[in-house]
């Protein structure tokens, strides 16, 4: 089997392969460079933090919506049958704390 290519064609093929190999080695060098590895790791961590933060915000929003639904009607009016007892408990606790604070000072 003989190669039908001319020496110039063979030399051109070798130059092309050498250039592709040099590009591949450059790409590998960039990928394994410590700054690239650190940058990739930072990006991955930031992405995971964003995902966790997003899920946490969704959970908080659902909780706020649930609490709001317990104390406010769909048209925005307060549900006095639920707001008044809670307000009375809050006032009572604040009053007890105030009385307790005065007794401990005096």
């Amino acid at each position: 089997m003989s190669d039908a290519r001319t020496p110039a064609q063979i030399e051109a093929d070798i130059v092309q392969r050498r250039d592709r190999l040099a590009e591949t080695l450059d790409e590998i060098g960039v990928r394994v460079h410590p700054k690239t590895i650190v940058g990739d790791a930072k990006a991955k961590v930031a992405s995971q933090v964003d995902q966790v933060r997003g899920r946490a915000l969704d959970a908080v929003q659902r909780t706020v919506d649930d609490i709001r639904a317990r104390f406010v009607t769909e048209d925005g009016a307060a549900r006095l049958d639920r707001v008044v007892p809670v307000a009375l408990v809050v006032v009572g606790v604040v009053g007890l704390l105030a009385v307790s604070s005065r007794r401990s000072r005096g």
Side-chain angles (χ1 to χ4, degrees):
M1 244 179 152
S2 75
D3 194 356
R5 298 181 302 166
T6 66
Q9 290 171 327
I10 294 171
E11 188 175 333
D13 186 39
I14 291 171
V15 169
Q16 286 178 347
R17 288 182 185 207
R18 187 180 302 137
D19 289 344
R20 284 196 306 259
L21 179 59
E23 288 176 20
T24 301
L25 290 174
D26 287 345
E27 289 177 17
I28 291 171
V30 168
R31 289 181 187 173
V32 298
H33 192 279
K35 286 184 179 180
T36 303
I37 293 170
V38 168
D40 291 348
K42 284 181 180 179
K44 186 175 181 179
V45 168
S47 173
Q48 291 174 345
V49 167
D50 286 344
Q51 289 175 1
V52 170
R53 187 181 72 186
R55 288 193 301 266
L57 289 174
D58 288 344
V60 168
Q61 187 62 49
R62 283 192 305 271
T63 302
V64 168
D65 290 345
D66 182 48
I67 292 171
R68 182 180 294 131
R70 292 173 191 253
F71 294 102
V72 179
T73 63
E74 288 184 18
D75 62 352
R79 293 184 178 194
L80 295 179
D81 60 319
R82 294 183 181 174
V83 172
V84 171
V86 171
L88 291 174
V89 168
V90 170
V91 168
V93 169
V94 169
L96 288 173
L97 290 174
V99 168
S100 173
S101 175
R102 285 185 185 163
R103 285 186 180 170
S104 65
R105 286 188 211 164

